[in-house]
Amino acid sequence: MRISRALFDELIEHALEESPREACGMIAFENGEPAKVYRATNSAANPEHEYEISAFEQFQIYAESGSSIGAVYHSHPVSEPYPSEVDVQLSFDDCLPSFIIGLLREPEICVFRIGVRRLEQISLNIVESVTE
């Protein structure tokens, strides 16, 4: 999967701004590529260790994006960008890729399809523009 440098930087910026809370949101796709970030409010009871996007906010984002949401994202402020046990337990759709932003060392992003019975990492390539 390819992502533009601008979108990659936007995801990192959101994670850094929200730290030590987990940042979260959704990503709209155009022509099979990430195209726009929709920031969301982390409404989890324990936002330093998990994330939750309210059903109402999810509906708003889907409506605003024209139903073009192709991925969700969240950050791990003090750990690697790898799905936690909580991420796996709360996963609701393994067809929707999950971008995880790790801030433990240098900020990095990994992408996974997370399911109860499967975990698949998706390669992420940063490009200057997805039209390259």
Side-chain angles (χ1 to χ4, degrees), residues 15 17-24 41-52 74-80 82 84 86-87 90 100-104:
E17 287 174 9
E18 291 292 325
S19 186
R21 296 166 50 97
E22 289 194 9
C24 60
T41 301
N42 185 346
S43 58
N46 189 4
E48 287 81 18
H49 301 285
E50 61 186 8
Y51 79 98
E52 181 179 334
H74 72 282
S75 64
H76 285 179
V78 294
S79 64
E80 301 286 346
Y82 190 82
S84 68
V86 172
D87 293 336
L90 297 178
I100 302 177
I101 306 143
L103 300 177
L104 182 61

Side-chain angles (χ1 to χ4, degrees), residues 2-23:
R2 297 182 319 159
I3 187 171
S4 70
R5 168 60 65 189
L7 247 60
F8 181 89
D9 290 345
E10 187 175 349
L11 291 168
I12 298 289
E13 178 182 311
H14 186 203
L16 291 169
E17 287 174 9
E18 291 292 325
S19 186
R21 296 166 50 97
E22 289 194 9

Side-chain angles (χ1 to χ4, degrees), residues 1-17 23 26-29 33-39 73-75 81 98-103 105-111 121-130:
M1 178 180 301
R2 297 182 319 159
I3 187 171
S4 70
R5 168 60 65 189
L7 247 60
F8 181 89
D9 290 345
E10 187 175 349
L11 291 168
I12 298 289
E13 178 182 311
H14 186 203
L16 291 169
E17 287 174 9
M26 303 175 101
I27 303 171
F29 277 47
E33 306 275 0
K36 184 173 181 184
V37 171
Y38 288 88
R39 292 182 177 203
Y73 74 89
H74 72 282
S75 64
S98 183
F99 286 60
I100 302 177
I101 306 143
L103 300 177
R105 295 178 186 82
E106 289 296 313
E108 64 178 313
I109 300 175
C110 293
V111 184
Q121 186 164 6
I122 300 168
S123 149
L124 185 64
N125 298 308
I126 304 165
V127 295
E128 287 309 308
S129 167
V130 292

Side-chain angles (χ1 to χ4, degrees), residues 56-70:
F56 179 74
E57 192 168 13
Q58 287 181 50
F59 176 78
Q60 286 181 310
I61 292 170
Y62 270 101
E64 186 179 333
S65 74
S67 300
S68 64
I69 297 302

